[in-house]
Amino acid sequence: LEELIFWTERLAQDVQLAEREVETLCPWANMLETPPPLLSSEDQPEIAAHWRRLKAQPELDISLAGNLLWCASRISEIRRLQGRIREAALGDDEAATAIRWLERLRQAVSASWSASESLLGTLRGLAVKSGGMVRDMSFGFLYDEVQKLFTIGYNVTDLRRDNSYYDLLASEARLASYVAIARGEVPQEHWFRLARPLTGQGDGLTLLSWTGTMFEYLMPNLVMELYEGSLLDQTNKGAVRHQEGYGSRRDVPWGISECAFNALDVAQNYQYRAFGVPGLGLKRGLSEDLVVAPYATLLALPVDPGSALQNMRRLASLGMEGRYGFYDAIDFTPSRVPPGDKGVVVATYMVHHIGMGLLAINNYLNANPMVRRFTSEPEMRAIELLLQERIPLQAPRTQPHPMEIERQRVPAAETPFLSRHYDTPNTDVPRAHLLSNGRYSVMVTNSGSGYSRWGADPRSALAVTRWRDDLVRDVWGTFVYLRDVRTGATWSATAAPYGRVPTGYDVYFTLDKAEFRRRDGDLETLVEIVVSPEDDTEVRRITLTNRGARRDIELTSYAEIALATQAADADHPAFSKLFVETEYMPEHGALLARRRPRSPDEVTPWTVHVMSIEREPGPTTGLLGSPVPEEYETNRAAFLGRGGTVASPAALRGNRLGGNTGAVLDPVFSLRQLVRVGRDAKVRVSVITAVTESKADALSLAAKYRDPTWAERVVTLAHTHAHLELRQLGLSAEEVMQYQRLFSRMIYPSRGTRPSPETLARNVKGQPGLWAYGITGDLPILLVRIADPREARIVRQALRAHEYWQSKGFVADLVVLNEYPGGYIQPVQEELENMVTSSHARDMLNKPGGVYIKRADIMPEADRILLNSVARTVLVGSRGSLHTQLDREVPSPPLPPTQTSRQPSPTDHRLPTTD
């Protein structure tokens, strides 16, 4: 209905504009249909004949000039007809009415003449102005007299031309070359200096371009004449055939050109560059991308209209049609496509691409009006022989990058986003995964527990939910409970906090989200956890799929609210809880909480908790009761009940939520909704938690995310943001997954990357022993031990992991222990310091949350043992790559004995040239 209303309004606007134009330029048109009776009376044959001659209308395709001529002739005719009526001396009211009506007609015709003259004068003025702009345009400063070619551009600051040239005939720049030659600014010799490399066999020869885009081959034909059988005509046909064949081989629509693609910058704008076809373009790497643009197909209308129309229908079937026409592109590049999808629609519009498409359609339907206008200029017509060049009979053939073309015949399968998969929540230690937009961070484990934190600076970030690094009690985080209203059976959407093993359980950690799939009898539960790149918001989207009889399911959310730094909440939890106030906003169905300010100047953030339901049509599926949750609770004691635990709360025993708010002693967030899931039906429920700096912003987010379509948008944006993040940090998906695994070991230390029991037993010092080295010990420590210059690569990996963690809101100390033998020359130490100064940590050397480089040869053995003992994870350079060490379940080896100082040999300082 919304689309129908939109297009009806647009149609009404167009009709009104057309009506206004007719009323302005031809106000006489409607009057001619309703003349007074006297003008067509058979009793006055001379008057009637005169009227018939006067009202003879111009052709339907009348021009402004034609309308001026018609109006000028009719003004005098109207006056003569008025005079004839007076001469007839009829003297009755009918004659007077006719004379007055003819006067109004004369005024309308006069107004039409004036309006047409004014508009025609304006258009002529624009034509003169445009012609002046063309005459004032100079191409000469871009022309290189030595190379006889145009440069790519001109550096205005340095007042010099670029060193690159447009040197191919198969290029969009040939239009500028043609115009410059026609105007006499450059000699015709320039046209023949444009290279003409050919590819293909027999009569299927085609000129090569730089990138093999439709834009390079076909854009100039929007205005330039194309002669049958000429070199350019054969090239265009060959280019279209090649594009059609390439699309067929890759099993995608054809039409590849420069366009937007599925990558966003920090402002969430689509990126743009040229894409081409291997075998047509001289540029390397064209096979690495696969992006199809609809305007490229429209440009090919004059060459192969049947195939072009069929291709446009195929693009439409892929969802390429938008409100303003076809979207700019569809990206089939595997590395930019989500798992399970073949392509991603680049939902943006490029006005110059839409304009080229409309010009191509106009040319095809109306016998090339733009070409006729361009070639009607005498200057352009004078050199049209340049466009009639034939294919040379003995021209050499070129095959650009044959290996790349051959490789694309069977495209290799790619894995755009790696994932970590677990089929049980009961691993030896929890496996953690980190999600963040740089301000709001969520850590989640394979059981479903974790934390949420907010703050741009990880060292002072607020703990939104309470968390402890407790390997025994896995009860921290945001949870969703489910209860079958009929049977009373209860369980949780993830394994935590119930811990009950379901029929089936799978966890997938990808770069953009954490996904939990579980099956409890006939009910399948999918939980997707993402962090919004736009707002400081986390979305937990729960999809219930019922394979059995209809069920009524009660969903209850639960999260303990901290709103304090992790250290403050851990040191004084009872005191910290006293200052948190909660309230419920029934119009939004939202719970709000904030920490009471301790002074009038203190600004405290607000956190908001809402639940949205995606209601599906049908009597057996969807929301039961009010669309706004009517049950809520913010008092932990009331939710758990006497003797209750998070794994067995009183609120899940058929009791209603108490609705307590205000200055509760132990604040939590809990909302409840009841949904009905029919047989073979799905229901989606999203639980959203967000943090803002004001109550107004919190309510705005509550209203926004009450709409379930926003949850879908967050999931899509998170995937796109993960792509962007990889490019910004210069990391691969494989590297990021390794750093996530390493992060898991930093949160929950594992035996494979911890010191050996012998080392731990030898430790006799505590945290204060680190202070002499500038290390506070308050932050998790990643220790990297190297004893050889060739082991420096593990330090590079640790530095990149440290940078990635910071971008995700996790801060740790990276300590590099240089165990290379000491001496006067310290090549390894210098190399390590150089590595740090050239990395993200150049301003964080020997600072908390930064990087420390320590020499083992000047460190007492007791301090070395202490450092190894307190480190959450120890990486040893001699053990090879990060991947190898994370897969080990053998503790780090004992410390080597302290080396005595010696003078190294001349070869000791040689460092490897590569990793």
Side-chain angles (χ1 to χ4, degrees):
L1 185 61
E2 181 183 352
E3 285 292 297
L4 179 62
I5 293 173
F6 172 82
W7 288 111
T8 305
E9 291 175 347
R10 291 296 298 270
L11 179 60
Q13 291 173 5
D14 288 347
V15 171
Q16 290 171 0
L17 288 173
E19 187 177 36
R20 191 179 307 130
E21 185 171 296
V22 170
E23 291 173 352
T24 301
L25 296 176
C26 301
W28 43 264
N30 290 331
M31 296 185 67
L32 295 181
E33 302 299 325
T34 56
L38 177 63
L39 299 182
S40 55
S41 174
E42 296 180 357
D43 297 336
Q44 300 292 332
E46 292 186 1
I47 293 177
H50 195 146
W51 166 246
R52 286 194 295 272
R53 290 194 303 273
L54 186 151
K55 76 169 186 176
Q57 297 183 36
E59 298 296 330
L60 291 178
D61 59 347
I62 183 173
S63 64
L64 285 174
N67 189 47
L68 285 171
L69 292 175
W70 188 88
C71 290
S73 63
R74 286 335 183 248
I75 290 175
S76 57
E77 286 294 327
I78 292 172
R79 285 181 175 147
R80 278 197 286 273
L81 182 55
Q82 288 175 317
R84 177 161 300 213
I85 294 173
R86 292 189 183 97
E87 291 173 359
L90 298 176
D92 55 6
D93 292 340
E94 191 176 9
T97 300
I99 291 174
R100 288 195 299 270
W101 184 88
L102 286 172
E103 182 60 25
R104 292 197 302 273
L105 177 63
R106 188 191 65 79
Q107 293 174 358
V109 172
S110 179
S112 174
W113 187 92
S114 299
S116 299
E117 177 66 22
S118 175
L119 179 57
L120 188 60
T122 300
L123 296 177
R124 284 171 175 162
L126 287 174
V128 171
K129 185 176 181 179
S130 301
M133 294 172 66
V134 173
R135 286 190 298 273
D136 294 341
M137 189 185 302
S138 173
F139 294 87
F141 75 103
L142 290 170
Y143 187 70
D144 190 311
E145 295 288 349
V146 177
Q147 299 290 336
K148 306 294 182 184
L149 295 170
F150 282 109
T151 60
I152 296 293
Y154 188 87
N155 190 316
V156 179
T157 303
D158 297 339
L159 300 178
R160 61 176 177 82
R161 293 189 292 262
D162 292 342
N163 293 325
S164 301
Y165 303 87
Y166 284 109
D167 59 353
L168 292 172
L169 182 62
S171 165
E172 73 279 11
R174 72 173 179 269
L175 177 57
S177 297
Y178 189 85
V179 172
I181 293 171
R183 295 186 51 196
E185 288 199 45
V186 300
Q188 287 194 14
E189 179 186 2
H190 160 64
W191 188 262
F192 300 101
R193 290 295 292 267
L194 296 173
R196 291 158 168 78
L198 290 166
T199 187
Q201 300 294 329
D203 60 354
L205 295 177
T206 303
L207 287 173
L208 291 173
S209 68
W210 174 239
T211 50
T213 66
M214 286 291 208
F215 178 72
E216 291 170 305
Y217 287 105
L218 303 180
M219 186 279 290
N221 301 334
L222 293 174
V223 295
M224 294 173 68
E225 187 73 52
L226 193 65
Y227 293 92
E228 184 72 25
S230 66
L231 172 62
L232 292 174
D233 176 58
Q234 292 293 327
T235 290
N236 290 345
K237 293 176 180 176
V240 173
R241 283 197 304 269
H242 200 106
Q243 290 244 2
E244 291 172 350
Y246 186 71
S248 177
R249 291 194 300 274
R250 300 297 298 269
D251 191 27
V252 298
W254 56 272
I256 297 177
S257 194
E258 59 180 65
C259 58
F261 59 102
N262 187 34
L264 300 172
D265 61 14
V266 292
Q268 298 295 303
N269 298 314
Y270 283 108
Q271 300 298 281
Y272 181 99
R273 62 184 170 90
F275 301 97
V277 173
L280 281 180
L282 295 170
K283 182 182 178 182
R284 290 188 179 275
L286 296 177
S287 61
E288 297 174 1
D289 298 281
L290 189 58
V291 185
V292 175
Y295 85 92
T297 301
L298 294 177
L299 290 177
L301 266 174
V303 180
D304 192 348
S307 179
L309 290 174
Q310 183 179 1
N311 199 53
M312 294 301 287
R313 292 190 187 100
R314 185 177 179 185
L315 289 169
S317 69
L318 295 175
M320 287 294 293
E321 284 186 292
R323 174 166 285 183
Y324 304 107
F326 279 80
Y327 291 118
D328 197 55
I330 180 169
D331 196 337
F332 294 100
T333 308
S335 60
R336 294 192 293 267
V337 175
D341 294 339
K342 185 177 181 181
V344 176
V345 174
V346 182
T348 188
Y349 303 95
M350 294 286 179
V351 67
H352 60 299
H353 292 169
I354 294 175
M356 284 188 282
L358 292 175
L359 280 179
I361 294 172
N362 186 26
N363 280 338
Y364 177 70
L365 295 178
N366 298 307
N368 294 317
M370 298 305 297
V371 176
R372 286 186 276 111
R373 288 165 182 155
F374 182 80
T375 55
S376 67
E377 292 291 329
E379 293 174 326
M380 305 305 156
R381 195 165 57 248
I383 60 168
E384 61 186 6
L385 285 176
L386 295 179
L387 303 177
Q388 300 177 23
E389 178 182 353
R390 300 287 176 171
I391 296 178
L393 298 178
Q394 302 299 325
R397 303 331 186 227
T398 302
Q399 182 73 304
H401 319 309
M403 293 300 295
E404 186 175 355
I405 299 170
E406 183 69 23
R407 185 168 62 249
Q408 282 307 309
R409 292 180 182 175
V410 182
E414 299 184 40
T415 304
F417 269 177
L418 301 176
S419 65
R420 297 156 61 201
H421 172 239
Y422 305 97
D423 58 5
T424 175
N426 301 319
T427 48
D428 55 345
V429 293
R431 301 298 192 241
H433 191 61
L434 187 61
L435 302 168
S436 177
N437 61 9
R439 302 175 306 277
Y440 194 101
S441 303
V442 171
M443 185 276 288
V444 62
T445 70
N446 57 315
S447 67
S449 62
Y451 64 67
S452 301
R453 292 179 181 170
W454 179 74
D457 187 352
R459 288 164 291 193
S460 59
L462 293 183
V464 181
T465 59
R466 186 160 289 109
W467 178 77
R468 302 289 184 266
D469 53 349
D470 189 339
L471 294 176
V472 179
R473 298 179 64 241
D474 196 17
V475 295
W476 313 102
T478 301
F479 306 115
V480 177
Y481 299 93
L482 291 89
R483 176 176 173 270
D484 190 310
V485 175
R486 183 178 62 84
T487 65
T490 58
W491 65 98
S492 50
T494 57
Y498 261 73
R500 188 175 303 159
V501 179
T503 309
Y505 189 81
D506 289 282
V507 180
Y508 298 90
F509 291 153
T510 59
L511 301 185
D512 55 330
K513 64 181 176 180
E515 188 174 289
F516 297 79
R517 297 176 181 270
R518 63 178 291 163
R519 187 170 64 256
D520 299 88
D522 295 329
L523 194 68
E524 298 174 1
T525 306
L526 168 64
V527 180
E528 299 167 281
I529 303 176
V530 296
V531 174
S532 170
E534 294 181 314
D535 305 313
D536 294 338
T537 305
E538 64 175 286
V539 174
R540 297 172 185 255
R541 188 168 66 168
I542 301 99
T543 304
L544 303 178
T545 305
N546 185 19
R547 303 300 182 190
R550 188 186 73 187
R551 302 178 71 173
D552 294 342
I553 303 296
E554 199 176 65
L555 293 99
T556 306
S557 64
Y558 175 84
E560 294 187 25
I561 304 303
L563 288 181
T565 64
Q566 178 66 22
D569 187 66
D571 291 342
H572 306 285
F575 178 77
S576 178
K577 295 174 184 178
L578 294 175
F579 293 90
V580 177
E581 292 180 333
T582 62
E583 62 179 300
Y584 180 69
M585 308 300 291
E587 64 273 22
H588 297 289
L591 286 171
L592 299 179
R594 73 156 182 167
R595 178 169 293 279
R596 288 200 306 275
R598 299 187 181 184
S599 67
D601 299 329
E602 183 181 0
V603 178
T604 56
W606 289 75
T607 182
V608 58
H609 188 72
V610 295
M611 186 180 286
S612 70
I613 312 294
E614 186 175 319
R615 294 183 287 273
E616 295 186 358
T620 63
T621 300
L623 179 67
L624 294 178
S626 170
V628 175
E630 295 179 342
E631 290 190 46
Y632 56 90
E633 181 62 76
T634 66
N635 187 348
R636 181 172 177 268
F639 185 90
L640 298 182
R642 182 180 296 275
T645 65
V646 177
S648 180
L652 270 292
R653 299 172 194 156
N655 302 321
R656 288 181 59 86
L657 297 182
N660 296 293
T661 59
V664 294
L665 294 179
D666 199 348
V668 298
F669 276 160
S670 182
L671 292 172
R672 176 174 289 170
Q673 279 281 26
L674 179 63
V675 297
R676 173 165 290 170
V677 192
R679 179 184 292 273
D680 295 325
K682 290 183 179 181
V683 172
R684 277 182 174 166
V685 180
S686 297
V687 177
I688 298 99
T689 304
V691 181
T692 64
E693 295 181 350
S694 68
K695 183 177 182 180
D697 291 340
L699 293 177
S700 176
L701 286 178
K704 175 180 177 179
Y705 285 99
R706 283 287 301 157
D707 183 350
T709 59
W710 279 99
E712 177 65 32
R713 173 179 169 83
V714 168
V715 173
T716 303
L717 280 179
H719 179 83
T720 304
H721 185 262
H723 275 290
L724 175 62
E725 186 178 53
L726 287 183
R727 287 197 306 277
Q728 287 179 329
L729 297 176
L731 300 175
S732 66
E734 293 86 350
E735 287 178 296
V736 170
M737 278 302 162
Q738 296 297 339
Y739 303 155
Q740 287 277 11
R741 293 175 63 197
L742 184 58
F743 162 76
S744 181
R745 305 295 177 97
M746 295 292 290
I747 295 292
Y748 299 104
S750 173
R751 180 172 177 266
T753 51
R754 286 284 289 150
S756 64
E758 295 83 359
T759 301
L760 295 174
R762 293 164 59 192
N763 180 35
V764 295
K765 304 185 76 172
Q767 181 178 345
L770 298 173
W771 298 346
Y773 301 97
I775 304 172
T776 65
D778 296 332
L779 298 173
I781 295 176
L782 170 62
L783 177 63
V784 182
R785 291 165 43 188
I786 67 169
D788 188 279
R790 289 167 295 185
E791 299 172 357
R793 62 178 177 178
I794 197 70
V795 179
R796 291 190 180 92
Q797 290 179 313
L799 281 169
R800 291 165 73 83
H802 189 265
E803 180 182 14
Y804 175 75
W805 293 342
Q806 283 193 331
S807 71
K808 289 293 185 180
F810 175 68
V811 61
D813 287 331
L814 171 58
V815 181
V816 181
L817 187 60
N818 176 14
E819 297 176 347
Y820 188 67
Y824 180 73
I825 301 176
Q826 287 291 328
V828 176
Q829 187 74 10
E830 293 176 2
E831 173 69 7
L832 293 174
E833 291 175 355
N834 289 336
M835 288 171 56
V836 174
T837 55
S838 61
S839 72
H840 74 288
R842 56 185 174 273
D843 297 326
M844 304 168 62
L845 189 61
N846 298 320
K847 294 180 180 179
V851 181
Y852 301 82
I853 302 175
K854 302 301 175 183
R855 289 172 52 185
D857 62 323
I858 61 174
M859 183 181 291
E861 185 175 9
D863 291 348
R864 295 168 60 215
I865 294 174
L866 168 65
L867 186 57
N868 277 264
S869 299
V870 300
R872 292 290 185 95
T873 298
V874 180
L875 302 177
V876 184
S878 60
R879 290 197 167 189
S881 68
L882 175 61
H883 175 78
T884 303
Q885 300 191 50
L886 292 178
D887 285 342
R888 291 178 183 268
E889 288 303 327
V890 180
S892 299
L895 289 174
T898 304
Q899 301 282 347
T900 58
S901 298
R902 66 176 179 87
Q903 184 66 30
S905 67
T907 59
D908 285 343
H909 66 278
R910 295 179 184 173
L911 297 177
T913 57
T914 66
D915 286 348

